């Protein structure tokens, strides 16, 4: 039994959802992110009401001395060009508190994925190379295409450049944003491509990357939706891990095992998009595991 626990990924959990609890749970990980720290989060589409606000994450970003990093989108909206994206970051208050970097504002670079299921390269913004470590600070919620959004989505779609997003969404068919919607693959291939891209980012920062998932304002829609549904279930808590697969699996299990009547709506969104398939695909790639131990730090 002790050996089993040693092999399981540690995922820390607290019901407390505060600025202070993000720092407290990060410190349970026993890691000090080194050098120039990128904090990858979702800055929120224009009109979205559910994204994590700048004030809420102030303590943890200050604690790691991080730069808020984002990448342009591959769909119409207020974040599909650097100029518009920077304007929205200002309007949402991000650059009031933090250094902000749109990582694909200049050019793309590619990362190899030698053992990818579907794609063998990941297109990311060139500024990614400016960072020594990364804190992936995810708002866990539903997603119109992926079923759910958590750490793995942040690593894949989130860190990819605009062309990289098109490449993942089309399972490697095109990097042309204008051809994205005409080249959508079978759903499981899209999810496997996301797992592939996630592995590239995790492995790039291996040993210098940490994950926090915040389970609040859980809508079936992503923070990328300008018109998003309101949250469908009560807030659950905050989780942290060094394993992106384990932390997402723990969040999924907390939703599925919840007695909250609103969980059915979120579960339907996840199941209808085969959302948990990304966990299986990522587990097979070996950069994380679905086998975890949940450690409640409130006790």
């Amino acid at each position: 039994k002790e050996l089993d626990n040693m092999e399981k990924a540690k995922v820390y959990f607290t019901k407390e959802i505060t600025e202070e609890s993000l720092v407290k749970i990060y410190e349970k990980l026993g890691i000090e992110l080194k050098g120039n720290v990128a904090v990858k989060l979702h800055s929120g589409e224009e009109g979205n009401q559910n994204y994590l606000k700048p004030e809420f994450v102030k303590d943890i970003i200050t604690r790691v001395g991080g730069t808020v990093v984002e990448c342009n989108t591959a769909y119409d909206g207020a974040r599909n060009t650097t100029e518009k994206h920077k304007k929205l970051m200002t309007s949402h208050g991000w650059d009031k508190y933090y250094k902000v970097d749109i990582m694909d504002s200049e050019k793309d670079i590619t990362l190899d994925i030698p053992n990818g299921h579907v794609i063998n390269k990941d297109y990311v913004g060139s500024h990614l190379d400016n960072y020594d470590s990364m804190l992936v600070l995810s708002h866990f919620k539903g997603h119109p295409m992926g079923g759910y959004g958590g750490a793995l989505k942040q690593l894949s779609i989130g860190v990819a450049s605009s062309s990289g997003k098109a490449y993942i969404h089309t399972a490697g068919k095109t990097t042309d944003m204008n051809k994205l919607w005409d080249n959508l693959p079978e759903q499981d291939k899209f999810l496997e491509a996301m797992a592939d891209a996630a592995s590239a980012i995790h492995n790039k920062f291996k040993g210098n990357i940490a994950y926090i998932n915040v389970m609040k304002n859980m809508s079936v829609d992503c923070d990328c939706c300008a018109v998003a549904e309101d949250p469908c279930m009560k807030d659950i808590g905050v989780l942290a891990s060094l394993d992106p697969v384990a932390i997402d699996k723990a969040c999924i299990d907390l939703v599925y095992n919840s007695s909250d009547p609103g969980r059915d709506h979120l579960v339907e969104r996840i199941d209808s998009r085969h959302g948990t398939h990304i966990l299986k695909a990522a587990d097979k790639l070996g950069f994380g595991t679905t086998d975890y131990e949940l450690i409640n730090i409130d006790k």
Side-chain angles (χ1 to χ4, degrees):
K1 203 166 188 180
E2 191 175 331
L3 187 63
D4 286 345
N5 283 338
M6 282 172 65
E7 292 170 352
K8 290 178 180 177
K10 287 182 168 59
V11 180
Y12 296 91
F13 171 78
T14 177
K15 285 183 179 176
E16 187 186 338
I17 306 177
T18 63
E19 294 172 48
E20 296 78 14
S21 72
L22 297 182
V23 175
K24 184 179 176 183
I25 204 163
Y26 165 76
E27 290 180 341
K28 289 289 181 183
L29 295 173
I31 190 173
E32 282 297 332
L33 297 175
K34 299 170 186 170
N36 203 9
V37 182
V39 179
K40 179 63 188 78
L41 49 73
H42 200 305
S43 56
E45 183 55 73
E46 187 174 31
N48 186 277
Q49 74 277 31
N50 297 322
Y51 69 96
L52 302 179
K53 304 304 186 287
E55 296 79 7
F56 174 70
V57 295
K58 196 162 184 278
D59 285 3
I60 184 61
I61 295 175
T62 301
R63 170 66 179 77
V64 300
T67 297
V68 170
V69 301
E70 264 283 33
C71 303
N72 292 320
T73 62
Y75 53 84
D76 289 337
R79 300 184 304 131
N80 65 341
T81 69
T82 298
E83 186 182 1
K84 285 196 289 180
H85 203 161
K86 283 181 176 176
K87 187 177 176 184
L88 185 64
M89 296 285 276
T90 297
S91 123
H92 280 180
W94 290 105
D95 59 6
K96 178 181 175 182
Y97 302 107
Y98 319 111
K99 288 185 291 181
V100 171
D101 182 10
I102 309 298
M103 292 195 292
D104 60 334
S105 59
E106 292 183 85
K107 61 181 181 178
D108 284 5
I109 55 173
T110 56
L111 303 178
D112 290 333
I113 312 170
N115 61 337
H117 295 298
V118 175
I119 57 175
N120 57 20
K121 57 188 170 184
D122 187 23
Y123 293 86
V124 298
S126 61
H127 293 188
L128 189 68
D129 272 348
N130 296 339
Y131 299 95
D132 305 296
S133 54
M134 180 176 278
L135 175 64
V136 181
L137 183 53
S138 304
H139 174 208
F140 185 89
K141 68 285 179 194
H143 192 276
M145 294 188 75
Y148 82 92
L152 292 171
K153 180 186 168 290
Q154 279 278 33
L155 280 176
S156 55
I157 298 293
V159 177
S161 64
S162 288
S163 53
K165 286 175 172 65
Y167 195 68
I168 296 165
H169 272 293
T170 61
K173 288 180 188 171
T174 184
T175 56
D176 187 338
M177 291 175 283
N178 297 315
K179 296 178 180 177
L180 191 162
W181 303 109
D182 296 326
N183 286 281
L184 293 179
E186 184 263 327
Q187 178 68 1
D188 284 359
K189 291 294 179 194
F190 160 55
L191 296 167
E192 288 162 15
M194 275 216 293
D196 292 343
S199 74
I201 306 303
H202 178 83
N203 290 334
K204 176 177 173 60
F205 291 107
K206 198 168 184 179
N208 286 303
I209 189 163
Y211 302 90
I212 296 175
N213 280 9
V214 182
M215 300 184 77
K216 69 174 290 188
N217 296 345
M218 286 181 288
S219 165
V220 297
D221 287 328
C222 180
D223 299 340
C224 56
C225 299
V227 181
E229 279 195 28
D230 285 333
C232 61
M233 62 185 296
K234 290 177 183 172
D235 297 346
I236 291 178
V238 180
L239 294 86
S241 184
L242 299 179
D243 186 317
V245 185
I247 195 172
D248 276 8
K249 179 65 162 64
C251 289
I252 290 285
D253 289 345
L254 285 167
V255 169
Y256 280 55
N257 295 328
S258 171
S259 57
D260 188 317
R263 54 79 75 190
D264 293 352
H265 191 35
L266 185 51
V267 168
E268 190 280 330
R269 171 59 58 93
I270 297 166
D271 286 353
S272 65
R273 271 65 167 183
H274 301 180
T276 58
H277 183 67
I278 192 174
L279 297 170
K280 296 169 191 167
D283 188 276
K284 282 181 184 175
L285 287 168
F287 69 100
T289 177
T290 53
D291 195 12
Y292 69 92
E293 175 191 5
L294 192 66
I295 301 165
N296 189 337
I297 68 170
D298 296 334
K299 292 178 180 176

